[in-house]
Amino acid sequence: MTEAAPSGTTRKAGGVELTLQEDQTARIREWAGAERLLIALDFDGTLAPFRDDPMAVSIVAGGAEVLAGLAALERVQLALVSGRRLADLAALAAPPPGTLLAGSHGAERGHVSPSGELEVEAGGATEAELALLAELTASLESIVASAPGSWVEHKTFGRVLHTRKAEPEDAERATEEALTGPGSLPGVHTIHGKRVVEIAVRSVTKADAVAAMRAQVADASGVGVDRVAVLFAGDDTTDEFALASLVAGDLGVKVGEGESAASLRVADEAAMVTLLGEVLRALRASA
Ligand SMILES: O=P(O)(O)OC[C@H]1O[C@H](O[C@H]2O[C@H](CO)[C@@H](O)[C@H](O)[C@H]2O)[C@H](O)[C@@H](O)[C@@H]1O
């Protein structure tokens, strides 16, 4: 149930309190005053609504236009930071030229060339990592065999148990087996996300990705990292690494409900695009 809030947005009765629009606008204006701006966005659940098939998602209406507008601004560096494979992220998001990309939570890095092609900067598993990935595949395939609807996604540095299409009790059992079995092997980094258990062979988080991108922006513009203000937005547990790493002058946005280190919150992907539109307006007004 929701009730009207004075600013014209809504506040959830008895639930998570949504940040009011007027407060959001003031915080955005303050953030937008920094010398250089890095807008780093998660993809699934932040820009693209969830689907059963991970390759059937697309950015919510209006999102592509807002991203293109932001990417065109001189003071702004746009970036996408996702748990997805870098190539899948680039294909599904179709980000504007110049966008920095982090896939596999930052273990894969790249950018979009002026002609819109993905340029890969870092990535590729070692022999030892490939051996561990094969072990993860075998364990997870045996778990999904007894949990109809669940399946295993193969990523460059990890394997993902997906349970979105499984019956709740099968999903719960498979999740538990993945966490206590392959997810607990030495040398793996395991994250329990939204209807997924991600088991990676490289321990990189979105905080690492954002720190590297902040340094890249500072280098490219010849300023110190302390002059680069970051806006990071995300919806899931993996995004909390980045949100918790933000410093004074940055802006963290949580999409949806749940505990978060973010200071602003929006309800869903559509509201996130609205907030980005507000950012675009504020930046254009101050240009
Ligand atoms: O870091 P993100 O951009 O949020 O990516 C996280 C994971 O996204 C995908 O899984 C999620 O979206 C799927 C499609 O909507 C959905 O079916 C699944 O339940 C979600 O967890 C992707 O498949 C994973 O590899 C990403 O790590």
Side-chain angles (χ1 to χ4, degrees):
M1 179 185 168
T2 59
E3 63 186 30
S7 67
T9 58
T10 58
R11 192 196 297 259
K12 284 211 163 179
V16 176
E17 189 172 305
L18 301 178
T19 309
L20 302 181
Q21 186 67 47
E22 63 201 31
D23 184 35
Q24 287 182 348
T25 306
R27 299 288 308 281
I28 289 165
R29 287 208 184 112
E30 193 184 335
W31 168 83
E35 193 169 339
R36 290 288 296 160
L37 302 167
L38 169 62
I39 299 178
L41 308 168
D42 168 50
F43 183 63
D44 293 275
T46 295
L47 294 172
F50 292 113
R51 298 277 180 269
D52 285 347
D53 176 359
M55 294 309 285
V57 306
S58 52
I59 293 186
V60 73
E65 293 77 7
V66 175
L67 295 185
L70 291 168
L73 296 174
E74 207 174 316
R75 265 192 312 138
V76 172
Q77 175 61 59
L78 180 67
L80 296 182
V81 180
S82 174
R84 282 181 178 268
R85 287 178 60 228
L86 185 63
D88 292 348
L89 175 67
L92 291 167
T99 306
L100 299 181
L101 300 174
S104 298
H105 305 281
E108 294 181 284
R109 300 276 308 281
H111 65 270
V112 184
S113 75
S115 58
E117 302 298 314
L118 168 64
E119 303 270 352
V120 179
E121 291 158 15
T126 64
E127 287 299 317
E129 287 170 337
L130 289 172
L132 188 47
L133 285 168
E135 199 178 333
L136 294 177
T137 303
S139 301
L140 288 172
E141 288 297 351
S142 103
I143 291 170
V144 301
S146 55
S150 65
W151 62 282
V152 181
E153 179 185 4
H154 290 216
K155 300 204 291 191
T156 315
F157 295 103
R159 297 293 179 261
V160 184
L161 168 71
H162 281 261
T163 58
R164 189 169 289 274
K165 290 189 290 180
E167 291 298 327
E169 60 275 19
D170 288 334
E172 198 179 323
R173 193 185 62 252
T175 297
E176 187 58 25
E177 286 175 10
L179 290 171
T180 55
S184 299
L185 285 173
V188 303
H189 177 69
T190 301
I191 300 174
H192 187 183
K194 289 184 173 168
R195 316 282 182 94
V196 287
V197 177
E198 293 216 25
I199 310 175
V201 297
R202 214 173 264 192
S203 179
V204 178
T205 73
K206 291 186 180 184
D208 302 314
V210 169
M213 287 172 167
R214 192 198 295 265
Q216 198 173 343
V217 172
D219 263 7
S221 35
V223 300
V225 284
D226 57 327
R227 310 284 275 279
V228 181
V230 175
L231 183 159
F232 182 87
D235 72 300
D236 208 348
T237 45
T238 60
D239 302 308
E240 290 302 319
F241 290 105
L243 289 167
S245 76
L246 298 182
V247 297
D250 294 340
L251 200 52
V253 184
K254 166 79 174 175
V255 182
E257 299 190 356
E259 288 283 308
S260 180
S263 57
L264 290 185
R265 188 185 295 270
V266 294
D268 55 21
E269 298 89 346
M272 185 63 219
V273 167
T274 302
L275 184 141
L276 290 173
E278 193 64 42
V279 171
L280 183 56
R281 262 189 299 281
L283 290 170
R284 280 178 174 160
S286 67

